[in-house]
Amino acid sequence: MTEAPERYVGGGVPRKEDPALVTGEAHWTDNIKVQGMLHMALLRSPFAHARITHVDVSGALEQPGIVAAFTGEDLVEEWPGGVPTGAHVTDDMKEPFHPPLAHGEVNYMGDAVAVVLATDRYRAQDALESIEVEYEPLDVVTNVEAALEEGSPLVHEDLGTNECFTWPLEVGDVDDAFNRADVVVKERYIQQRLLPNAIETRAVVAMPDPGHDGYVVYSASQVPHLVKIILSLATGIPENQIRVVAPDVGGGFGSKLNVYAEELLALVLTKRLGRPIKWWEDRSENYQATIHGRGQVQDIELAATNEGRILGMRVKLLDDLGAYLQLLGPAIAPTGALMFPGVYTFDAFSVEVKGVFTNLTPTDAYRGAGRPEATYASERIIDALARELNMDPVEVRRKNFYEPFDEPTTTPAGIQYDSMNIQAALDRVMELAEYGSLRQEQRQRRENNDPVQLGIGFSTYTEICGLAPSQALAGLGIGGGGWEAAQVRMGMSGTVEVATGSTPHGQGHETSWSQIVADALGVSPDDVVVLHGDTAVVPLGRDTYGSRSLSVGGVAVWKACEKIMDKAKKVAAHMLEAAEDDIEFEAGTFSVAGSPEQSVTIQDVATTAYLGADIPEGMEPGLNENYVYEPTNFTFPFGAYICVTEVDTETGKVNIRDFYGVDDCGPVINPTIVEGQLHGGLAQGIAQALYEGAIYDENGTLMTASMVDYMIPGAPELPNYTLERTVTPSPSNPLGVKGVGEAGTIGSTPAVINSIIDALEPFGVKHIDMPASPMRVWKAIQNAQGQQAGERQADASVEARAADVEQGGEE
Ligand code: MCN
């Protein structure tokens, strides 16, 4: 066993997970091969909205290797609950029944209509061509505003409306704020749909588990615990007869925070046929049938004084839910809505969210889930206010920041931020970027009419994460609890197993949790094994999303270690025949105060605790503790970004020359992991600003249906990042930690767009839709110049007319 004298928390301990991942030794769901396994393939609708007048799978059954084939009608009895949502944001929210296999009607392109099971995947796929389906196309609605218009085609006729819910919030007197305002700025932003692209697409293997009279479901999921309970509720199979295992999972970014039709299908078919069933998604299916992210129309207004002080904010959101409600779909926009005020404090705020059905793929959580959208709008409009008042974007921000605080502070949306010092982050990022010289360079380029203009874009953000206090979640209509569980088991020899309820899929919990345990118990991280993702092995947990794992799950691990230490100290006192109060602990060794030679190691204590023969009377043998941690509040990381762009005004091409960031996620467990999380997050935020976006035609056909058409940036499209951190501990948890898994995605997008608009200020460009492709940027320049020329012409003709009038030349 290695000696463990140092503090590991805060050190750059190499990721334990990486050797297996980079040497091809990881256990992916698709690697699972089981005797008698059948492969499932799904026939998906090419129409976005159509009545199914006829389905016949008999042709498929005649194909070689086909064992079974079913239509939606055949399986209706198997899923009384359908694919349920776990988010009920208003009492009168409309929830359409969501069958895993459509029957009667398809409601988006990719809706599955029939399933085939074969002895190998290729046969299953080929046999889909022999299924006969007749569709009667129905009118399609793909646009949220059109969907709310009188006479719009209805996605679900039986609901009588496309409006799923209206969620309002008003704090303070908003009308009064707008009446009192010297200036009002009003903008409309479109959050384009994004397609999540985890390296590993979704995959599931379901099999009977005769030994336990139940079923095992392997799924490339972020949420095996949620999958287990929801599969049980949807199928009626008792919860204790379903074991769900998430093996190594190749990323999720929120898209695997769901329970999908295919998981349900695999389970009910394994139950029906008594054979293991495997399904994995190809990339085209991924684009059609895995949830999409974003998809909002945002109307935002800011009321302010001439000095740049914000008085009030009004927001109206239309949230494109797609055709069905997935696990958290309805809750994404309302949760994000709480964050529109961002890092600015003012008196009056209102927001109204309308969830709207369209004939498109359902939307749900995608990295940031509601908060990138909110941050984008507030960071864009604060720049619009600066332009309106002819102020520096830094100055207008500073006028509205909170004074630094380290105790819960109420926000305009009525929630409580935990702690913040946004000034410090902004000061530091400006130093890093050498703001003064950047503005000087910008001036020079403008004076020289340089075809390549320089843009300096800011974003000062905060986000809500660390989901969450159970009560707060219930208030947002999200059932299921927000606590997290941990079990820490020190073995007889003093090595440690940690069973965590969080489910890492790229975030490095094995390393971070080992560091926490190593410091708490005085062992080496190498002596800690972290178990996760198997509902039969780890305590019932709430999994990984909402940048919650460290500030909830990691804290649970630390609290369980505290319990171990309390007990170990008692055992050590007993072994050393000393009073418990006289026992000291350092670097894995208990000793008696004042006589350090009287000592035992924690490993000795573990052995004694398990042997049980020489422990305090009445004590339970062993060193094995559970903790379920219920957080008291969310955590609110924050930060400041500067994006420096070079915009080619002749071609519209944008090059991010530099990207500076100062983030604050409280004390850090593993700086290398935090940096990695930020790099990935920034890449996704920049991708939304410049490259990515799902495009549908008016019939609801996905035009960006493959990686050829959907632009995911690679290393050449992304800049080097210059990153630093400030440390403002959270009072919400005993480690003071805040989340970081989504921070980069939340803060970066507006910095990029603000930078482009800043570069093009001399051309009069005030707005560019995302993704800001060269064509869009070029057109924005042309339009703005056209408008300016038009205005100049109009001004000239008014002047000419005025001159005529003066000279008595009136007609
Ligand atoms: N960490 C730390 N110190 C801090 C904060 C975090 O050392 N102050 C470390 C944690 O110990 C953990 C990691 O950073 O190892 C992320 O922790 P946290 O912020 O708690 O986030 P989660 O573990 O809950 O991860 C969820 C978050 C989300 S919501 C998305 S989406 C996302 C993300 O993580 N998806 C990812 N990062 C991803 N990274 C990968 N590789 N793949 C994904 O799908």
mmCIF file of all heavy atoms in Angstrom, residues 15 222 250-254 366-368 371 505-509 512-513 544-551 665-671 673-674 677 737-742, ligand 1:
data_model
loop_
_atom_site.group_PDB
_atom_site.id
_atom_site.type_symbol
_atom_site.label_atom_id
_atom_site.label_comp_id
_atom_site.label_asym_id
_atom_site.label_seq_id
_atom_site.Cartn_x
_atom_site.Cartn_y
_atom_site.Cartn_z
ATOM 1 N N ARG A 15 -6.120 11.418 -14.306
ATOM 2 C CA ARG A 15 -7.420 10.733 -14.341
ATOM 3 C C ARG A 15 -7.237 9.227 -14.384
ATOM 4 O O ARG A 15 -6.571 8.697 -15.274
ATOM 5 C CB ARG A 15 -8.209 11.199 -15.570
ATOM 6 C CG ARG A 15 -8.922 12.498 -15.338
ATOM 7 C CD ARG A 15 -9.660 12.991 -16.571
ATOM 8 N NE ARG A 15 -10.241 11.926 -17.374
ATOM 9 C CZ ARG A 15 -11.534 11.857 -17.699
ATOM 10 N NH1 ARG A 15 -12.380 12.768 -17.285
ATOM 11 N NH2 ARG A 15 -11.968 10.890 -18.470
ATOM 12 N N GLN A 222 -26.904 8.325 -18.748
ATOM 13 C CA GLN A 222 -26.372 9.132 -17.643
ATOM 14 C C GLN A 222 -27.136 8.839 -16.363
ATOM 15 O O GLN A 222 -26.748 9.299 -15.299
ATOM 16 C CB GLN A 222 -26.580 10.634 -17.917
ATOM 17 C CG GLN A 222 -25.885 11.183 -19.117
ATOM 18 C CD GLN A 222 -26.257 12.634 -19.401
ATOM 19 O OE1 GLN A 222 -26.487 12.965 -20.542
ATOM 20 N NE2 GLN A 222 -26.297 13.508 -18.414
ATOM 21 N N GLY A 250 -19.868 6.783 -23.376
ATOM 22 C CA GLY A 250 -19.056 7.710 -24.175
ATOM 23 C C GLY A 250 -19.699 9.058 -24.354
ATOM 24 O O GLY A 250 -19.986 9.495 -25.465
ATOM 25 N N GLY A 251 -19.959 9.741 -23.246
ATOM 26 C CA GLY A 251 -20.507 11.097 -23.303
ATOM 27 C C GLY A 251 -22.020 11.094 -23.376
ATOM 28 O O GLY A 251 -22.647 10.103 -23.775
ATOM 29 N N GLY A 252 -22.600 12.181 -22.971
ATOM 30 C CA GLY A 252 -24.053 12.296 -22.991
ATOM 31 C C GLY A 252 -24.479 13.735 -23.214
ATOM 32 O O GLY A 252 -25.372 14.010 -23.978
ATOM 33 N N PHE A 253 -23.827 14.656 -22.491
ATOM 34 C CA PHE A 253 -24.118 16.089 -22.620
ATOM 35 C C PHE A 253 -25.598 16.388 -22.421
ATOM 36 O O PHE A 253 -26.140 17.283 -23.039
ATOM 37 C CB PHE A 253 -23.612 16.610 -23.976
ATOM 38 C CG PHE A 253 -22.185 16.241 -24.224
ATOM 39 C CD1 PHE A 253 -21.858 15.260 -25.140
ATOM 40 C CD2 PHE A 253 -21.167 16.827 -23.483
ATOM 41 C CE1 PHE A 253 -20.532 14.883 -25.331
ATOM 42 C CE2 PHE A 253 -19.850 16.454 -23.670
ATOM 43 C CZ PHE A 253 -19.530 15.478 -24.601
ATOM 44 N N GLY A 254 -26.252 15.614 -21.583
ATOM 45 C CA GLY A 254 -27.674 15.820 -21.312
ATOM 46 C C GLY A 254 -28.569 14.933 -22.153
ATOM 47 O O GLY A 254 -29.669 14.588 -21.749
ATOM 48 N N TYR A 366 -29.810 19.722 -22.886
ATOM 49 C CA TYR A 366 -28.550 19.624 -23.612
ATOM 50 C C TYR A 366 -27.598 20.592 -22.940
ATOM 51 O O TYR A 366 -27.979 21.727 -22.639
ATOM 52 C CB TYR A 366 -28.754 19.967 -25.093
ATOM 53 C CG TYR A 366 -27.476 19.949 -25.891
ATOM 54 C CD1 TYR A 366 -26.691 18.802 -25.938
ATOM 55 C CD2 TYR A 366 -27.049 21.075 -26.584
ATOM 56 C CE1 TYR A 366 -25.498 18.782 -26.654
ATOM 57 C CE2 TYR A 366 -25.865 21.059 -27.310
ATOM 58 C CZ TYR A 366 -25.099 19.913 -27.339
ATOM 59 O OH TYR A 366 -23.924 19.894 -28.040
ATOM 60 N N ARG A 367 -26.411 20.172 -22.663
ATOM 61 C CA ARG A 367 -25.422 20.878 -21.836
ATOM 62 C C ARG A 367 -25.814 22.333 -21.517
ATOM 63 O O ARG A 367 -25.761 23.200 -22.384
ATOM 64 C CB ARG A 367 -24.042 20.834 -22.494
ATOM 65 C CG ARG A 367 -22.900 21.006 -21.488
ATOM 66 C CD ARG A 367 -21.565 20.692 -22.092
ATOM 67 N NE ARG A 367 -20.550 20.546 -21.044
ATOM 68 C CZ ARG A 367 -19.325 20.080 -21.245
ATOM 69 N NH1 ARG A 367 -18.957 19.715 -22.442
ATOM 70 N NH2 ARG A 367 -18.479 19.974 -20.253
ATOM 71 N N GLY A 368 -26.186 22.543 -20.287
ATOM 72 C CA GLY A 368 -26.608 23.872 -19.847
ATOM 73 C C GLY A 368 -28.113 23.965 -19.652
ATOM 74 O O GLY A 368 -28.589 24.645 -18.754
ATOM 75 N N ARG A 371 -30.017 27.302 -19.280
ATOM 76 C CA ARG A 371 -29.187 28.419 -18.791
ATOM 77 C C ARG A 371 -28.327 29.043 -19.888
ATOM 78 O O ARG A 371 -28.137 30.272 -19.889
ATOM 79 C CB ARG A 371 -28.307 27.973 -17.616
ATOM 80 C CG ARG A 371 -29.111 27.620 -16.380
ATOM 81 C CD ARG A 371 -29.257 26.129 -16.227
ATOM 82 N NE ARG A 371 -28.100 25.545 -15.595
ATOM 83 C CZ ARG A 371 -27.705 24.276 -15.766
ATOM 84 N NH1 ARG A 371 -28.367 23.472 -16.589
ATOM 85 N NH2 ARG A 371 -26.669 23.811 -15.142
ATOM 86 N N HIS A 505 -19.931 9.972 -16.990
ATOM 87 C CA HIS A 505 -19.849 9.493 -18.367
ATOM 88 C C HIS A 505 -18.848 10.367 -19.116
ATOM 89 O O HIS A 505 -19.074 10.783 -20.237
ATOM 90 C CB HIS A 505 -21.232 9.508 -19.017
ATOM 91 C CG HIS A 505 -22.001 10.765 -18.733
ATOM 92 N ND1 HIS A 505 -22.621 10.992 -17.520
ATOM 93 C CD2 HIS A 505 -22.226 11.868 -19.482
ATOM 94 C CE1 HIS A 505 -23.187 12.191 -17.552
ATOM 95 N NE2 HIS A 505 -22.947 12.751 -18.736
ATOM 96 N N GLY A 506 -17.745 10.661 -18.402
ATOM 97 C CA GLY A 506 -16.690 11.502 -18.975
ATOM 98 C C GLY A 506 -16.147 12.507 -17.975
ATOM 99 O O GLY A 506 -15.128 13.151 -18.239
ATOM 100 N N GLN A 507 -16.807 12.661 -16.832
ATOM 101 C CA GLN A 507 -16.455 13.756 -15.905
ATOM 102 C C GLN A 507 -15.371 13.412 -14.897
ATOM 103 O O GLN A 507 -14.981 14.276 -14.105
ATOM 104 C CB GLN A 507 -17.707 14.210 -15.142
ATOM 105 C CG GLN A 507 -18.773 14.859 -15.994
ATOM 106 C CD GLN A 507 -19.747 13.871 -16.600
ATOM 107 O OE1 GLN A 507 -19.542 12.651 -16.549
ATOM 108 N NE2 GLN A 507 -20.808 14.362 -17.194
ATOM 109 N N GLY A 508 -14.931 12.148 -14.849
ATOM 110 C CA GLY A 508 -13.784 11.823 -13.999
ATOM 111 C C GLY A 508 -14.104 11.666 -12.523
ATOM 112 O O GLY A 508 -13.250 11.930 -11.674
ATOM 113 N N HIS A 509 -15.314 11.197 -12.193
ATOM 114 C CA HIS A 509 -15.646 11.038 -10.773
ATOM 115 C C HIS A 509 -14.741 10.028 -10.075
ATOM 116 O O HIS A 509 -14.505 10.142 -8.875
ATOM 117 C CB HIS A 509 -17.100 10.592 -10.589
ATOM 118 C CG HIS A 509 -18.100 11.580 -11.104
ATOM 119 N ND1 HIS A 509 -19.443 11.359 -11.130
ATOM 120 C CD2 HIS A 509 -17.929 12.829 -11.625
ATOM 121 C CE1 HIS A 509 -20.067 12.410 -11.638
ATOM 122 N NE2 HIS A 509 -19.162 13.305 -11.963
ATOM 123 N N SER A 512 -11.832 12.161 -8.948
ATOM 124 C CA SER A 512 -12.181 13.202 -7.962
ATOM 125 C C SER A 512 -12.632 12.580 -6.645
ATOM 126 O O SER A 512 -12.235 13.031 -5.571
ATOM 127 C CB SER A 512 -13.312 14.087 -8.473
ATOM 128 O OG SER A 512 -13.006 14.630 -9.705
ATOM 129 N N TRP A 513 -13.473 11.571 -6.723
ATOM 130 C CA TRP A 513 -13.980 10.953 -5.485
ATOM 131 C C TRP A 513 -12.810 10.299 -4.728
ATOM 132 O O TRP A 513 -12.759 10.331 -3.507
ATOM 133 C CB TRP A 513 -15.050 9.918 -5.773
ATOM 134 C CG TRP A 513 -16.443 10.364 -6.191
ATOM 135 C CD1 TRP A 513 -17.574 9.602 -6.124
ATOM 136 C CD2 TRP A 513 -16.893 11.610 -6.732
ATOM 137 N NE1 TRP A 513 -18.677 10.300 -6.593
ATOM 138 C CE2 TRP A 513 -18.284 11.537 -6.969
ATOM 139 C CE3 TRP A 513 -16.257 12.820 -7.056
ATOM 140 C CZ2 TRP A 513 -19.032 12.592 -7.491
ATOM 141 C CZ3 TRP A 513 -17.008 13.868 -7.585
ATOM 142 C CH2 TRP A 513 -18.367 13.751 -7.785
ATOM 143 N N THR A 544 -26.129 11.770 -12.796
ATOM 144 C CA THR A 544 -25.247 12.894 -13.167
ATOM 145 C C THR A 544 -25.849 13.771 -14.261
ATOM 146 O O THR A 544 -26.125 13.300 -15.368
ATOM 147 C CB THR A 544 -23.883 12.325 -13.607
ATOM 148 O OG1 THR A 544 -23.228 11.868 -12.432
ATOM 149 C CG2 THR A 544 -23.006 13.377 -14.264
ATOM 150 N N TYR A 545 -26.060 15.021 -13.904
ATOM 151 C CA TYR A 545 -26.575 16.052 -14.819
ATOM 152 C C TYR A 545 -26.572 17.344 -14.020
ATOM 153 O O TYR A 545 -26.287 17.338 -12.799
ATOM 154 C CB TYR A 545 -28.017 15.729 -15.287
ATOM 155 C CG TYR A 545 -28.894 15.242 -14.170
ATOM 156 C CD1 TYR A 545 -29.585 16.118 -13.361
ATOM 157 C CD2 TYR A 545 -28.989 13.876 -13.878
ATOM 158 C CE1 TYR A 545 -30.358 15.681 -12.300
ATOM 159 C CE2 TYR A 545 -29.754 13.418 -12.817
ATOM 160 C CZ TYR A 545 -30.434 14.326 -12.029
ATOM 161 O OH TYR A 545 -31.183 13.884 -10.971
ATOM 162 N N GLY A 546 -26.875 18.457 -14.655
ATOM 163 C CA GLY A 546 -27.027 19.726 -13.937
ATOM 164 C C GLY A 546 -25.804 20.086 -13.099
ATOM 165 O O GLY A 546 -25.947 20.747 -12.067
ATOM 166 N N SER A 547 -24.620 19.669 -13.528
ATOM 167 C CA SER A 547 -23.370 19.952 -12.794
ATOM 168 C C SER A 547 -23.614 19.813 -11.286
ATOM 169 O O SER A 547 -23.369 20.728 -10.508
ATOM 170 C CB SER A 547 -22.849 21.353 -13.135
ATOM 171 O OG SER A 547 -22.640 21.456 -14.523
ATOM 172 N N ARG A 548 -24.109 18.640 -10.935
ATOM 173 C CA ARG A 548 -24.527 18.389 -9.562
ATOM 174 C C ARG A 548 -23.609 17.414 -8.835
ATOM 175 O O ARG A 548 -23.662 17.299 -7.615
ATOM 176 C CB ARG A 548 -25.938 17.784 -9.556
ATOM 177 C CG ARG A 548 -25.996 16.337 -10.103
ATOM 178 C CD ARG A 548 -27.416 15.813 -10.214
ATOM 179 N NE ARG A 548 -28.114 15.858 -8.965
ATOM 180 C CZ ARG A 548 -28.151 14.843 -8.089
ATOM 181 N NH1 ARG A 548 -27.523 13.715 -8.324
ATOM 182 N NH2 ARG A 548 -28.832 14.955 -6.972
ATOM 183 N N SER A 549 -22.812 16.662 -9.592
ATOM 184 C CA SER A 549 -22.226 15.471 -8.984
ATOM 185 C C SER A 549 -21.274 15.815 -7.855
ATOM 186 O O SER A 549 -21.309 15.179 -6.810
ATOM 187 C CB SER A 549 -21.538 14.631 -10.050
ATOM 188 O OG SER A 549 -22.494 14.259 -10.996
ATOM 189 N N LEU A 550 -20.421 16.811 -8.063
ATOM 190 C CA LEU A 550 -19.487 17.120 -6.987
ATOM 191 C C LEU A 550 -20.215 17.759 -5.804
ATOM 192 O O LEU A 550 -20.059 17.312 -4.666
ATOM 193 C CB LEU A 550 -18.367 18.043 -7.479
ATOM 194 C CG LEU A 550 -17.419 18.484 -6.352
ATOM 195 C CD1 LEU A 550 -16.750 17.283 -5.698
ATOM 196 C CD2 LEU A 550 -16.380 19.464 -6.867
ATOM 197 N N SER A 551 -21.015 18.784 -6.094
ATOM 198 C CA SER A 551 -21.581 19.543 -4.969
ATOM 199 C C SER A 551 -22.689 18.779 -4.258
ATOM 200 O O SER A 551 -23.112 19.191 -3.176
ATOM 201 C CB SER A 551 -22.073 20.911 -5.439
ATOM 202 O OG SER A 551 -23.014 20.755 -6.448
ATOM 203 N N CYS A 665 -15.592 28.297 -9.674
ATOM 204 C CA CYS A 665 -16.455 27.181 -9.254
ATOM 205 C C CYS A 665 -16.093 26.789 -7.820
ATOM 206 O O CYS A 665 -16.159 25.622 -7.447
ATOM 207 C CB CYS A 665 -16.367 26.015 -10.223
ATOM 208 S SG CYS A 665 -14.712 25.371 -10.488
ATOM 209 N N GLY A 666 -15.691 27.815 -7.056
ATOM 210 C CA GLY A 666 -15.326 27.540 -5.660
ATOM 211 C C GLY A 666 -14.010 26.781 -5.600
ATOM 212 O O GLY A 666 -13.246 26.756 -6.578
ATOM 213 N N PRO A 667 -13.718 26.150 -4.467
ATOM 214 C CA PRO A 667 -12.500 25.352 -4.379
ATOM 215 C C PRO A 667 -12.562 24.198 -5.384
ATOM 216 O O PRO A 667 -13.649 23.704 -5.684
ATOM 217 C CB PRO A 667 -12.531 24.793 -2.949
ATOM 218 C CG PRO A 667 -13.557 25.583 -2.231
ATOM 219 C CD PRO A 667 -14.504 26.132 -3.238
ATOM 220 N N VAL A 668 -11.408 23.825 -5.893
ATOM 221 C CA VAL A 668 -11.372 22.821 -6.954
ATOM 222 C C VAL A 668 -10.791 21.506 -6.416
ATOM 223 O O VAL A 668 -9.814 21.514 -5.685
ATOM 224 C CB VAL A 668 -10.541 23.384 -8.122
ATOM 225 C CG1 VAL A 668 -9.963 22.304 -8.983
ATOM 226 C CG2 VAL A 668 -11.396 24.328 -8.943
ATOM 227 N N ILE A 669 -11.416 20.405 -6.768
ATOM 228 C CA ILE A 669 -10.877 19.099 -6.351
ATOM 229 C C ILE A 669 -9.731 18.715 -7.271
ATOM 230 O O ILE A 669 -8.653 18.357 -6.830
ATOM 231 C CB ILE A 669 -11.976 18.003 -6.400
ATOM 232 C CG1 ILE A 669 -13.200 18.402 -5.574
ATOM 233 C CG2 ILE A 669 -11.413 16.639 -5.968
ATOM 234 C CD1 ILE A 669 -12.983 18.593 -4.101
ATOM 235 N N ASN A 670 -9.988 18.803 -8.597
ATOM 236 C CA ASN A 670 -8.968 18.381 -9.553
ATOM 237 C C ASN A 670 -8.837 19.417 -10.679
ATOM 238 O O ASN A 670 -9.673 19.484 -11.590
ATOM 239 C CB ASN A 670 -9.336 17.009 -10.134
ATOM 240 C CG ASN A 670 -8.200 16.435 -10.963
ATOM 241 O OD1 ASN A 670 -7.644 17.106 -11.835
ATOM 242 N ND2 ASN A 670 -7.845 15.200 -10.689
ATOM 243 N N PRO A 671 -7.792 20.248 -10.624
ATOM 244 C CA PRO A 671 -7.665 21.336 -11.609
ATOM 245 C C PRO A 671 -7.601 20.846 -13.051
ATOM 246 O O PRO A 671 -8.121 21.518 -13.960
ATOM 247 C CB PRO A 671 -6.348 22.022 -11.231
ATOM 248 C CG PRO A 671 -5.891 21.431 -9.953
ATOM 249 C CD PRO A 671 -6.704 20.209 -9.646
ATOM 250 N N ILE A 673 -9.064 18.206 -14.336
ATOM 251 C CA ILE A 673 -10.418 17.840 -14.769
ATOM 252 C C ILE A 673 -11.240 19.105 -15.001
ATOM 253 O O ILE A 673 -11.969 19.221 -15.993
ATOM 254 C CB ILE A 673 -11.094 16.921 -13.721
ATOM 255 C CG1 ILE A 673 -10.418 15.553 -13.721
ATOM 256 C CG2 ILE A 673 -12.591 16.796 -13.989
ATOM 257 C CD1 ILE A 673 -10.988 14.551 -12.742
ATOM 258 N N VAL A 674 -11.109 20.065 -14.102
ATOM 259 C CA VAL A 674 -11.873 21.306 -14.250
ATOM 260 C C VAL A 674 -11.513 21.988 -15.568
ATOM 261 O O VAL A 674 -12.375 22.439 -16.320
ATOM 262 C CB VAL A 674 -11.633 22.229 -13.032
ATOM 263 C CG1 VAL A 674 -12.075 23.657 -13.311
ATOM 264 C CG2 VAL A 674 -12.369 21.675 -11.812
ATOM 265 N N GLN A 677 -13.131 20.096 -18.350
ATOM 266 C CA GLN A 677 -14.564 20.374 -18.418
ATOM 267 C C GLN A 677 -14.808 21.727 -19.090
ATOM 268 O O GLN A 677 -15.723 21.874 -19.902
ATOM 269 C CB GLN A 677 -15.164 20.375 -17.006
ATOM 270 C CG GLN A 677 -15.281 18.998 -16.382
ATOM 271 C CD GLN A 677 -16.293 18.136 -17.112
ATOM 272 O OE1 GLN A 677 -17.424 18.543 -17.349
ATOM 273 N NE2 GLN A 677 -15.882 16.956 -17.514
ATOM 274 N N VAL A 737 -17.849 23.780 -2.669
ATOM 275 C CA VAL A 737 -17.637 23.610 -4.116
ATOM 276 C C VAL A 737 -18.876 23.990 -4.926
ATOM 277 O O VAL A 737 -20.002 23.889 -4.453
ATOM 278 C CB VAL A 737 -17.246 22.148 -4.452
ATOM 279 C CG1 VAL A 737 -15.872 21.839 -3.922
ATOM 280 C CG2 VAL A 737 -18.274 21.157 -3.892
ATOM 281 N N LYS A 738 -18.634 24.421 -6.138
ATOM 282 C CA LYS A 738 -19.709 24.684 -7.102
ATOM 283 C C LYS A 738 -19.416 23.837 -8.341
ATOM 284 O O LYS A 738 -18.284 23.398 -8.529
ATOM 285 C CB LYS A 738 -19.718 26.156 -7.500
ATOM 286 C CG LYS A 738 -19.848 27.122 -6.318
ATOM 287 C CD LYS A 738 -19.940 28.564 -6.800
ATOM 288 C CE LYS A 738 -20.119 29.501 -5.623
ATOM 289 N NZ LYS A 738 -20.612 30.811 -6.023
ATOM 290 N N GLY A 739 -20.415 23.661 -9.193
ATOM 291 C CA GLY A 739 -20.228 22.823 -10.378
ATOM 292 C C GLY A 739 -19.457 23.526 -11.481
ATOM 293 O O GLY A 739 -19.319 24.753 -11.480
ATOM 294 N N VAL A 740 -18.956 22.729 -12.428
ATOM 295 C CA VAL A 740 -18.223 23.336 -13.543
ATOM 296 C C VAL A 740 -18.547 22.667 -14.880
ATOM 297 O O VAL A 740 -18.144 23.148 -15.928
ATOM 298 C CB VAL A 740 -16.697 23.288 -13.268
ATOM 299 C CG1 VAL A 740 -16.117 21.887 -13.513
ATOM 300 C CG2 VAL A 740 -15.958 24.322 -14.065
ATOM 301 N N GLY A 741 -19.331 21.572 -14.825
ATOM 302 C CA GLY A 741 -19.528 20.752 -16.028
ATOM 303 C C GLY A 741 -20.192 21.470 -17.185
ATOM 304 O O GLY A 741 -20.075 21.042 -18.334
ATOM 305 N N GLU A 742 -20.932 22.537 -16.915
ATOM 306 C CA GLU A 742 -21.636 23.227 -18.005
ATOM 307 C C GLU A 742 -21.177 24.676 -18.185
ATOM 308 O O GLU A 742 -21.609 25.365 -19.109
ATOM 309 C CB GLU A 742 -23.145 23.220 -17.727
ATOM 310 C CG GLU A 742 -23.730 21.831 -17.754
ATOM 311 C CD GLU A 742 -25.005 21.758 -16.924
ATOM 312 O OE1 GLU A 742 -24.933 21.884 -15.693
ATOM 313 O OE2 GLU A 742 -26.068 21.578 -17.521
HETATM 314 N N1 MCN B 1 -14.808 19.442 -10.249
HETATM 315 C C1 MCN B 1 -13.758 19.829 -9.433
HETATM 316 N N2 MCN B 1 -13.868 20.978 -8.684
HETATM 317 C C2 MCN B 1 -14.965 21.779 -8.781
HETATM 318 C C3 MCN B 1 -16.040 21.405 -9.639
HETATM 319 C C4 MCN B 1 -15.939 20.207 -10.350
HETATM 320 O O1 MCN B 1 -12.736 19.158 -9.379
HETATM 321 N N3 MCN B 1 -15.087 22.859 -8.034
HETATM 322 C C5 MCN B 1 -14.740 18.181 -10.995
HETATM 323 C C6 MCN B 1 -15.666 17.134 -10.346
HETATM 324 O O2 MCN B 1 -15.047 16.481 -9.303
HETATM 325 C C7 MCN B 1 -15.991 16.246 -11.532
HETATM 326 C C8 MCN B 1 -16.034 17.230 -12.705
HETATM 327 O O3 MCN B 1 -15.247 18.363 -12.300
HETATM 328 O O4 MCN B 1 -14.968 15.320 -11.708
HETATM 329 C C9 MCN B 1 -17.456 17.717 -13.072
HETATM 330 O O5 MCN B 1 -18.155 17.982 -11.895
HETATM 331 P P1 MCN B 1 -19.568 18.764 -11.815
HETATM 332 O O6 MCN B 1 -19.396 20.153 -12.198
HETATM 333 O O7 MCN B 1 -20.158 18.438 -10.482
HETATM 334 O O8 MCN B 1 -20.464 18.113 -12.985
HETATM 335 P P2 MCN B 1 -21.051 16.630 -13.098
HETATM 336 O O9 MCN B 1 -20.025 15.667 -12.732
HETATM 337 O O10 MCN B 1 -22.389 16.572 -12.475
HETATM 338 O O11 MCN B 1 -21.201 16.502 -14.659
HETATM 339 C C10 MCN B 1 -22.336 16.935 -15.362
HETATM 340 C C11 MCN B 1 -21.947 17.941 -16.417
HETATM 341 C C12 MCN B 1 -23.014 18.111 -17.389
HETATM 342 S S1 MCN B 1 -24.503 18.622 -16.768
HETATM 343 C C13 MCN B 1 -22.824 17.861 -18.721
HETATM 344 S S2 MCN B 1 -24.079 18.127 -19.823
HETATM 345 C C14 MCN B 1 -21.592 17.381 -19.192
HETATM 346 C C15 MCN B 1 -20.474 17.658 -18.311
HETATM 347 O O12 MCN B 1 -20.753 17.490 -17.044
HETATM 348 N N4 MCN B 1 -21.511 16.326 -20.011
HETATM 349 C C16 MCN B 1 -20.291 15.782 -20.257
HETATM 350 N N5 MCN B 1 -19.262 17.318 -18.736
HETATM 351 C C17 MCN B 1 -19.118 16.301 -19.624
HETATM 352 N N6 MCN B 1 -17.898 15.791 -19.888
HETATM 353 C C18 MCN B 1 -17.813 14.724 -20.711
HETATM 354 N N7 MCN B 1 -16.581 14.229 -20.971
HETATM 355 N N8 MCN B 1 -18.890 14.152 -21.285
HETATM 356 C C19 MCN B 1 -20.127 14.651 -21.086
HETATM 357 O O13 MCN B 1 -21.182 14.061 -21.630
#
